[in-house]
């Protein structure tokens, strides 16, 4: 729409300074002729916008001119305040900074968008951790975050699951990830992933490091999760599921049989882990393979039946 494009031109010039018509056209994916018409419309609306000819020319705003117009739509304003998670920000030591930033953004919003922001803040609250998990103590999180931001090396004593459990590590922290209420630091060399709550001791240093230019935290984490699940669920169980019952990890489903049941192949971590998982599904599942898992389930059910028989 033309109105949103005019706002975009105004904000581009406000944030980037001088831009040519060609640069604006490329940024907005319109023709240069359209930019000329939009610039004329802004000038007619009283925006102090000037064009300079020549090789170093282009459009610019009058020095010192700034607009409080944000260009936010109602949906964008709502999303902005919904995304401002106070819990994680406070853990990073940025709680007051987030509050101040939201206050400034709110003050700059037009009245109708301010109402939308207040509405979303009053009706939605983000709480990432699960119900049945205690919050992890992460006393070193602010220090890790500071090292990530400033590119400083960390020396830590870290607890891992393999022996020896407590190890010394030199970390070049590339980034932080919050997953299901738990903080992870992705650090070089490698890179590798470490749980922040498993850092037992931490020492900062003045040693600087250069994060690889081609490192993409989002891409790394996506690949890490995929590889983690592939390593975790190396075995498979063949099960029958009752009508209406599904399994979130089912790799494939068979056709529905005469009783309304259907077979499914489900990746499992191990027989021990799968035992508790399928027991929790009650009578809605029958394990067919592997034989060891089926026998373990049958024996557990027999013991339970005997225990509750009298």
């Amino acid at each position: 729409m033309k109105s949103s494009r005019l706002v975009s031109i105004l904000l581009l010039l406000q944030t980037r300074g001088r831009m040519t018509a060609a640069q604006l056209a490329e940024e907005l994916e319109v023709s240069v002729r359209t930019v000329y018409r939009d610039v004329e419309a802004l000038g007619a609306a009283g925006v102090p916008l000037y064009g300079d000819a020549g090789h170093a020319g282009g459009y610019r705003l009058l020095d010192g001119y700034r607009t409080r117009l944000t260009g936010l739509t109602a949906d964008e304003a709502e999303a902005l305040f919904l995304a401002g998670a106070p819990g994680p920000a406070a853990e990073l030591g940025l709680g007051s900074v987030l509050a101040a930033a939201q206050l400034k953004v709110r003050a700059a919003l037009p009245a109708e968008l301010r109402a939308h922001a207040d509405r979303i803040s009053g009706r939605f609250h983000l709480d990432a951790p699960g119900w049945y998990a205690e919050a992890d103590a992460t006393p070193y999180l602010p220090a890790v975050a500071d090292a990530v931001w400033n590119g400083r090396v960390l020396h830590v004593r870290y607890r891992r699951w393999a022996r020896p459990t407590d190890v010394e590590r030199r970390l070049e922290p590339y980034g932080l990830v919050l997953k299901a209420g738990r903080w992870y630091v992705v650090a070089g060399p490698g890179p590798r992933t470490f749980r922040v709550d498993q850092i037992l001791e931490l020492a900062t240093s003045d040693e600087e490091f250069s994060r690889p230019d081609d490192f993409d935290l989002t891409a790394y984490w996506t690949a890490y999760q995929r590889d983690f699940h592939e390593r975790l669920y190396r075995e498979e169980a063949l099960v029958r599921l009752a009508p209406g019952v599904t399994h979130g990890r089912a790799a494939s489903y068979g056709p529905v049989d005469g009783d309304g049941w259907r077979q499914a192949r489900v990746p499992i971590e191990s027989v021990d882990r799968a035992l508790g998982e399928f027991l929790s599904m009650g009578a809605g599942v029958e394990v067919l393979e592997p034989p060891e898992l089926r026998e373990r389930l049958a024996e557990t059910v027999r013991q339970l039946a005997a225990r509750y028989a009298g």
Side-chain angles (χ1 to χ4, degrees):
M1 294 178 62
K2 180 177 180 180
S3 59
S4 62
R5 195 170 63 244
L6 293 178
V7 170
S8 296
I9 291 176
L10 182 58
L11 294 177
L12 282 169
L13 294 176
Q14 182 170 296
T15 55
R16 300 189 187 180
R18 190 190 309 271
M19 294 183 70
T20 65
Q23 290 172 331
L24 287 168
E26 181 180 0
E27 186 74 30
L28 300 172
E29 298 181 347
V30 297
S31 67
V32 172
R33 184 181 297 275
T34 298
V35 170
Y36 290 152
R37 288 198 298 264
D38 289 345
V39 168
E40 290 179 1
L42 286 171
V47 176
L49 186 151
Y50 296 91
D52 297 324
H55 178 72
Y59 293 107
R60 63 183 178 86
L61 294 171
L62 179 68
D63 292 343
Y65 174 82
R66 297 192 65 80
T67 177
R68 293 179 60 196
L69 179 62
T70 64
L72 291 175
T73 66
D75 289 342
E76 290 167 342
E78 291 174 356
L80 175 65
F81 279 81
L82 183 60
E91 290 180 332
L92 289 170
L94 299 174
S96 60
V97 176
L98 174 64
Q102 286 188 330
L103 181 62
K104 291 177 181 178
V105 171
R106 184 183 179 279
L109 291 174
E112 64 274 13
L113 296 190
R114 193 179 310 135
H116 278 285
D118 291 342
R119 178 176 177 146
I120 202 76
S121 298
R123 298 196 180 194
F124 293 92
H125 175 71
L126 301 181
D127 186 9
W131 279 106
Y132 304 106
E134 293 292 332
D136 298 320
T138 52
Y140 297 113
L141 180 59
V144 174
D146 183 73
V148 168
W149 185 252
N150 293 297
R152 304 284 185 176
V153 170
L154 293 173
H155 296 275
V156 304
R157 187 164 66 89
Y158 184 78
R159 176 157 294 165
R160 59 180 187 173
W161 64 271
R163 294 184 180 276
T165 55
D166 294 2
V167 294
E168 306 287 334
R169 290 288 183 266
R170 175 187 176 277
L171 305 183
E172 298 177 358
Y174 295 167
L176 279 164
V177 175
L178 177 63
K179 171 69 172 179
R182 180 170 289 160
W183 287 97
Y184 298 84
V185 57
V186 178
R192 300 177 63 188
T193 303
F194 301 85
R195 280 176 50 175
V196 177
D197 65 302
Q198 295 302 304
I199 296 177
L200 306 177
E201 295 178 4
L202 179 147
T204 58
S205 73
D206 293 330
E207 181 184 356
E208 298 182 355
F209 69 90
S210 296
R211 177 171 138 157
D213 293 336
D214 60 350
F215 178 75
D216 185 318
L217 181 61
T218 301
Y220 168 85
W221 186 255
T222 301
Y224 174 79
Q225 288 187 98
R226 182 178 59 248
D227 294 343
F228 174 80
H229 284 283
E230 290 176 355
R231 294 193 308 269
L232 185 64
Y233 301 111
R234 292 183 174 180
E235 301 181 41
E236 188 177 72
L238 177 63
V239 302
R240 291 180 71 233
L241 299 174
V245 176
T246 60
H247 194 289
R249 291 199 310 277
S252 62
Y253 288 99
V256 177
D257 61 23
D259 297 326
W261 290 57
R262 59 179 176 169
Q263 291 188 4
R265 294 195 173 274
V266 179
I268 61 173
E269 182 179 352
S270 66
V271 169
D272 289 338
R273 292 278 188 179
L275 177 64
E277 179 181 351
F278 289 125
L279 278 173
S280 69
M281 297 179 67
V285 62
E286 177 190 359
V287 173
L288 303 177
E289 298 175 1
E292 180 186 357
L293 177 57
R294 181 179 175 88
E295 293 168 4
R296 291 272 301 276
L297 280 165
E299 178 59 29
T300 301
V301 171
R302 283 193 292 269
Q303 292 178 7
L304 288 171
R307 183 169 301 163
Y308 290 101

